[in-house]
Amino acid sequence: MKNIRNFCIIAHIDHGKSTLADRLLEKTGTVTGKDMEDQVLDDMELEKERGITIKSHAIQMDYMLNGEKYTLNLIDTPGHVDFSYEVSRSIAACEGALLIVDASQGIQAQTISNLYMAIDNDLEIIPVINKCDLESAKPEEVEDQIVDLLGCDRDEIIRASGKTGMGVEEILKAIVERIPAPKGDPDAPLQALVFDSVFNPFRGIIAYFKIENGTIHSGELVKFFSNDKEYHADEIGILRLNMEPRKELSAGNVGYIISGIKTSKEVKVGDTITSVENPCLKAIEGFEEVKPMVFAGVYPIDAEDFEDLRASLEKLQLNDASLTFQPESSAALGFGFRCGFLGLLHMEIIQERLGREFDMDVITTVPNVSYKVYDKKGNVTEVHNPSGLPDPNLIEHIEEPYIRATIITQSDYIGPIMTLCLSKRGELVKQEYISGNRMEMTFDMPLGEIVIDFYDKLKSISKGYASFDYHISDFRESKLVKLDILLNGESVDALSTLTHADNAVKFGRRMCEKLKELIPRQQFDIAIQAAIGAKIIARETVRQVRKDVTAKCYGGDITRKRKLLEKQKAGKKRMKQIGTVEVPQKAFLAVLKLD
């Protein structure tokens, strides 16, 4: 055990974690020849296309130092705020962390957020400045920022470059010398923490674990703590580029177990595995339950695919424990699921993965957050969906979730960022200079305001420099109203939203204008209306497509023409009574992009 090191790589998005992980794998000879490619650990097509890490990936390396062989278990983690739950789980399986900071961009909001998570778990931090080969690199300035943040010595900071391989040898040495070996007793009863799982169509569910105490043998009878079910460990092994089976694994190791589990509900991330013969007394404290930030309805385009969609979501949930879902139905879209996501990027990725991995075509409704509704009898209900709101006459008041947002930016962009946050009903809590011309601003803001397009706007006004991180702080009373969209007098529940009373009229008007562009013309007029309760606040009309019925009629009396027009008018009236309006998927997405 004294020669095992478990560590993860944490950083803000796009600071070069995956590239540096490639160099570590190359240096230790774990990946060679034709297997070596850019971002070798990012195994999803989606990750390669977007150049971001979505899942944390574990891999084992061997490293020789002073004639001794060390086993290094590396977990590469995502950097985007929407995937911070992946990071928290990876941190729980490690004793140390490489904190990577981009030499040209310096410390960003997510760097600080991930760092605090690592410090809370008593991890040994090794600071690394990456991309030191760039012309725009400012390593001295970034060193000052790291010393301020961590309070470490300058000589503890390693300068490196994932592109050229500079400093990689120093990093490997530091991992062995600075990160402590895992604590644990190989002879104690088995206690292993499940930190991830994947679904394999041929072998069932594969769970990834870290052994805290004890030893696990191939073929042994084991049980999961949360459901008390017993399984045979058909195969156990370590995670290299591919899975490598082993006869036994002991305390401190990271590995996988295949036990022929077919139903996804039986494996929970954060669960404890123990042996049936000699069980441990208590489970390892898992991770805190993740709280979704953004809710949206996900509906199959074809109603018959409902059960397939349920199976796909269950398999996705195995691989991404931060996804939550429950069945719901909508008058406009039929049966579907109310899904909880950690943010808008998370929602987009899940939608994309459903399409790519499971061939599911889905419609996603407008995202919203959960509200607490107090009625006049003093009861509280949590509402995730505007259609679940009680009658306005029964509501005493509504409380909405507020977040504490941290924005780190260069001082040149303070004005536009302030304007943006205040327009989203934000309140400035404090602002302070971190170093040079970099400033940290803290705002209290309603989560509902940042859910749709806040992050995109922040990035564009700060030319990509501002970084953003947030956590839920509390619920506050707000003057919220339910905005309904009516098509020919029929309410479309999938387009209804809860919005602040001051923004409602403007928002309703913009939605009507946008829908007018997107809804195709029919043989009859379509009235698009925005309403609060019984009061109509905006209206647009999609004009009917008219056929010239009088074209074949020439000469003779005017009454001949009038007769044809009257006949057409009666036909249109009848059509309007029985006609339905198809709302294209583009219309649901357009609401997200209202400027």
Side-chain angles (χ1 to χ4, degrees), residues 423-425 445-454 500 503:
S423 72
K424 298 282 186 186
R425 296 191 284 134
M445 298 171 76
L447 180 61
E449 292 282 347
I450 68 152
V451 153
I452 294 185
D453 57 357
F454 177 78
H500 197 267
N503 304 339

Side-chain angles (χ1 to χ4, degrees), residues 205-222:
I205 290 160
I206 303 170
Y208 298 155
F209 60 77
K210 181 205 176 185
I211 304 177
E212 298 283 346
N213 288 306
T215 306
I216 186 169
H217 302 272
S218 179
E220 189 178 356
L221 198 60
V222 296

Side-chain angles (χ1 to χ4, degrees), residues 422-434:
L422 296 175
S423 72
K424 298 282 186 186
R425 296 191 284 134
E427 298 164 14
L428 183 65
V429 178
K430 63 169 186 183
Q431 59 183 63
E432 54 190 9
Y433 279 96
I434 307 176

